[in-house]
Amino acid sequence: MPVSNITETILIVDDTQSVSDFIQYVLEERGYRTITANNGTQGMVMALEYRPDLILLDIMLPDVDGYAICSQLKADRKTRDIPVIFLSALNSQFDKIKAFKCGAVDFVTKPIQIEELTARVKSHLTISTLNRALQSSKKDLETLVQERTKELEESNKKLVELNSRLEKTVGDYRIAQEKAAGEDEFRTKLLSKLSHEILNDTNIIVGFSELIKATDDRDRQHEYADCITDSAGSLVSAITTVQEYNNAITGKCAVDIQRVNVCSALQCVCQKYADRARRRNIEIVVNNENSDTTEIFTDEAMLVSILTKLVGNSLKFSEKGPIEIGASSSGSSAVFYVRDTGIGISGDLLGDVLEPFVRGPKTCDNSSKGLGLGLAIVKAYVKKLNGELWFDSSPGVGTIFYFSLPTSSNGIIDADSLAAMRFDGTSVLVGEDEDVSFVLLNEILRKYGVKALRAKTGKELFELYRQNPDISLVISNLKLPMMSGTEAMKLIRKMSPSIVTVAHIPYFSAEDKRAFADSGCDSYIDRPANEMQVRELLSKYLLRS
């Protein structure tokens, strides 16, 4: 084949000459241009020099193993976008997972099958070529097409991020399942269902990307781009749901108790589903028996998530409306419910409907997607909020889900009563090395009659608690000198398991979330301190004590 017709170059990195020659012959017979390297160092140099369209990389190399080479390629801006397919006689699940963690897009086992190799090479080159074609044509498209292309690029970036999140999720499940015998079936179900969802949406994305490339009809391009966007959204939803369930059952989602307006929470959920319900001619009715200003103490994000999942479940299994979402209060409890007139829950599912992966045999919205984790997350969140969950269902009549949540130790607390609280004579231990942050927090505590004992280092924080064992609340910056606040509060909790510890953090980034989870703290407040947060913190823990 003339060189002028060759558009794709493949770098083969393998120290076995016979294997390298064989692959080179097979690929060149199919019109690809090939270059070869017999060790990892040479392969890295050639990748930087030639910038091939795809790299076939052996794992067992004489100087540097393929995993290290792949990691270097993905760390270098010049080569990180080149797809890498591993070639190896290693065929264990561990080796494959390690390969994908390094950034590889595929894994072909030796001895090499010609059809398998060429099919995978063609597939990944097509994806890579398509991405480059979309980028090069972006300037010639109209404004709407440019926006669609940008959405597609963002979707591709999200896919990379989602792959990383998926690896972490799978890793978390591996650790959890190793701790408990008999959970292999659970992991198999999760991976099977998640893989099915991901493969479906990924195939749709790749398929419609091919169609965009193949047509000049802009109306069709817009239509195909919409399909890609929908599938990317479905992919995001599937992985986010798995992460949410994982965080719920492993205790990694912290409960953030604050004042929540009941009416606002109900309206928020209703508005979220307004368009979807309108498209199916289903009315969502809000029935709030409380006043519009009624507030309870709970985690707002968890409450909204519970109601959202219950309403979404009702929409999925209802052919007509209305769907009613409501709330009432009685003493120290708030009772919420979601009622529908859907197909109901069949008798064989009644005992398992709140368990993970359990789904009804059919839906009313023609949707076959879903992992069956929504109600399991609802169950986990209600438990975390010290509430109760129950339901009543009749096939062909409908279903109503109830859940009750404690409002506070004194029932519903109005804003005036909360602001008038005093805790005279109460002492709180504060770990803070920054003067400005301590002064602000101390002034807020003094306003409510609380005395702050200050420690400037983690070591001092621990020693002060040893000297004052009657303290019932510790607030600390997690990054104190000499000993971190995290370590100091772990020691304090080891000494007194019932002690309430609160993290004082500047912002809630991913790093802060990990530090907060590691600290084992009961709650957190902003740094510098926010009076409303501190006031609610005192009411939650000191009123209780």
Side-chain angles (χ1 to χ4, degrees):
M1 177 177 287
V3 174
S4 60
N5 292 335
I6 297 175
T7 59
E8 295 162 322
T9 301
I10 300 173
L11 170 60
I12 304 166
V13 185
D14 198 303
D15 62 326
T16 304
Q17 189 65 41
S18 59
V19 173
S20 180
D21 290 344
F22 171 70
I23 296 173
Q24 187 175 17
Y25 172 78
V26 168
L27 294 177
E28 289 185 353
E29 277 289 304
R30 284 156 178 77
Y32 299 110
R33 179 189 174 199
T34 62
I35 51 178
T36 62
N38 56 23
N39 60 60
T41 302
Q42 183 182 7
M44 190 70 192
V45 171
M46 295 183 74
L48 288 167
E49 180 178 354
Y50 291 97
R51 309 284 177 83
D53 297 287
L54 185 141
I55 298 174
L56 298 176
L57 179 60
D58 188 17
I59 294 179
M60 305 300 292
L61 294 170
D63 52 350
V64 184
D65 67 49
Y67 297 131
I69 291 298
C70 187
S71 297
Q72 292 178 39
L73 289 169
K74 296 305 172 182
D76 194 315
R77 179 178 55 83
K78 299 176 182 178
T79 58
R80 65 188 177 194
D81 294 327
I82 301 174
V84 177
I85 298 177
F86 272 117
L87 306 173
S88 179
L90 303 174
N91 193 29
S92 70
Q93 183 180 10
F94 172 80
D95 296 311
K96 291 182 179 180
I97 290 176
K98 186 174 181 181
F100 288 120
K101 284 185 177 181
C102 292
V105 298
D106 216 329
F107 192 105
V108 176
T109 56
K110 296 180 180 179
I112 293 171
Q113 302 296 319
I114 294 176
E115 292 80 4
E116 178 187 11
L117 175 65
T118 55
R120 297 195 183 199
V121 165
K122 181 180 178 180
S123 175
H124 290 294
L125 283 174
T126 298
I127 294 172
S128 179
T129 301
L130 175 61
N131 287 334
R132 290 196 299 270
L134 287 173
Q135 292 174 4
S136 65
S137 63
K138 182 175 62 175
K139 294 182 181 179
D140 300 327
L141 298 176
E142 295 179 352
T143 302
L144 184 58
V145 178
Q146 290 176 348
E147 293 175 355
R148 295 299 188 185
T149 304
K150 184 177 180 180
E151 290 177 5
L152 180 58
E153 291 172 351
E154 290 299 320
S155 295
N156 288 336
K157 292 179 182 178
K158 287 180 180 179
L159 284 174
V160 175
E161 296 173 0
L162 290 171
N163 283 336
S164 176
R165 290 166 59 184
L166 176 60
E167 290 170 5
K168 184 180 184 304
T169 302
V170 174
D172 288 342
Y173 273 104
R174 284 174 59 87
I175 295 173
Q177 289 154 5
E178 287 170 0
K179 293 180 180 179
E183 294 185 1
D184 288 342
E185 183 179 355
F186 178 86
R187 178 177 61 184
T188 300
K189 284 185 179 179
L190 175 65
L191 293 178
S192 174
K193 289 180 177 291
L194 186 57
S195 297
H196 180 266
E197 294 290 324
I198 290 175
L199 286 174
N200 275 349
D201 288 315
T202 302
N203 287 336
I204 291 174
I205 291 171
V206 173
F208 279 103
S209 297
E210 293 274 9
L211 292 176
I212 288 177
K213 179 183 176 183
T215 182
D216 294 327
D217 187 326
R218 290 182 176 178
D219 290 336
R220 288 190 177 183
Q221 288 178 340
H222 297 166
E223 180 183 344
Y224 298 156
D226 284 336
C227 292
I228 291 173
T229 301
D230 289 343
S231 293
S234 178
L235 189 57
V236 171
S237 177
I239 295 180
T240 300
T241 298
V242 172
Q243 279 201 308
E244 187 176 8
Y245 180 69
N246 176 65
N247 291 338
I249 65 172
T250 58
K252 291 188 176 181
C253 55
V255 177
D256 179 18
I257 300 297
Q258 55 185 289
R259 285 187 304 165
V260 179
N261 183 281
V262 174
C263 181
S264 296
L266 296 176
Q267 292 295 338
C268 173
V269 176
C270 184
Q271 291 172 9
K272 181 173 182 179
Y273 281 106
D275 290 340
R276 179 176 165 188
R278 191 180 302 112
R279 287 195 298 268
R280 297 187 53 214
N281 295 319
I282 294 178
E283 181 184 10
I284 298 180
V285 180
V286 175
N287 180 22
N288 180 21
E289 297 180 14
N290 305 291
S291 69
D292 291 344
T293 59
T294 297
E295 295 177 329
I296 64 173
F297 274 157
T298 192
D299 186 303
E300 183 172 16
M302 287 189 183
L303 172 59
V304 171
S305 181
I306 292 168
L307 291 169
T308 297
K309 287 175 173 56
L310 290 177
V311 172
N313 191 69
S314 290
L315 278 170
K316 184 178 292 187
F317 294 98
S318 295
E319 294 180 353
K320 59 182 181 178
I323 292 174
E324 184 178 339
I325 174 175
S328 62
S329 59
S330 175
S332 61
S333 295
V335 179
F336 297 84
Y337 69 88
V338 174
R339 176 190 287 115
D340 64 55
T341 55
I343 62 177
I345 303 171
S346 60
D348 59 326
L349 294 179
L350 284 174
D352 301 318
V353 71
L354 299 179
E355 298 304 314
F357 312 125
V358 175
R359 299 181 60 205
K362 63 177 181 177
T363 64
C364 298
D365 61 355
N366 297 320
S367 170
S368 61
K369 294 186 177 182
L371 299 171
L373 292 177
L375 293 180
I377 294 174
V378 167
K379 177 182 176 181
Y381 280 169
V382 171
K383 182 178 180 181
K384 278 184 171 294
L385 296 176
N386 296 320
E388 295 183 14
L389 173 67
W390 67 101
F391 66 91
D392 185 21
S393 182
S394 298
V397 177
T399 301
I400 178 168
F401 279 92
Y402 300 91
F403 64 96
S404 65
L405 299 179
T407 55
S408 75
S409 58
N410 295 326
I412 298 174
I413 299 180
D414 59 69
D416 292 336
S417 299
L418 193 62
M421 290 187 305
R422 295 286 299 179
F423 301 93
D424 296 306
T426 302
S427 295
V428 170
L429 182 56
V430 176
E432 182 55 73
D433 59 327
E434 185 180 286
D435 292 338
V436 174
S437 294
F438 174 75
V439 169
L440 180 57
L441 176 57
N442 187 42
E443 287 301 313
I444 296 173
L445 292 172
R446 286 177 58 188
K447 183 176 179 179
Y448 295 97
V450 178
K451 178 182 178 181
L453 301 180
R454 183 187 184 186
K456 294 185 177 181
T457 68
K459 182 177 180 182
E460 186 179 358
L461 184 71
F462 179 65
E463 290 299 326
L464 269 177
Y465 182 76
R466 291 182 61 184
Q467 298 168 16
N468 300 272
D470 294 334
I471 287 177
S472 58
L473 184 64
V474 179
I475 305 173
S476 180
N477 174 7
L478 298 181
K479 299 178 181 179
L480 293 176
M482 295 182 66
M483 177 193 294
S484 71
T486 298
E487 293 302 319
M489 288 197 286
K490 283 182 179 179
L491 291 174
I492 290 173
R493 291 191 75 124
K494 188 174 182 180
M495 180 186 299
S496 303
S498 62
I499 185 69
V500 176
T501 55
V502 179
H504 196 202
I505 52 182
Y507 48 85
F508 219 33
S509 66
E511 179 184 357
D512 291 313
K513 288 179 180 179
R514 286 193 294 270
F516 175 68
D518 291 342
S519 71
C521 289
D522 298 281
S523 186
Y524 75 92
I525 57 173
D526 293 336
R527 179 171 177 259
N530 175 292
E531 180 175 351
M532 181 178 293
Q533 281 187 326
V534 174
R535 184 172 65 194
E536 291 173 353
L537 182 77
L538 296 176
S539 68
K540 177 183 177 183
Y541 293 111
L542 296 187
L543 278 181
R544 182 183 68 184
S545 61

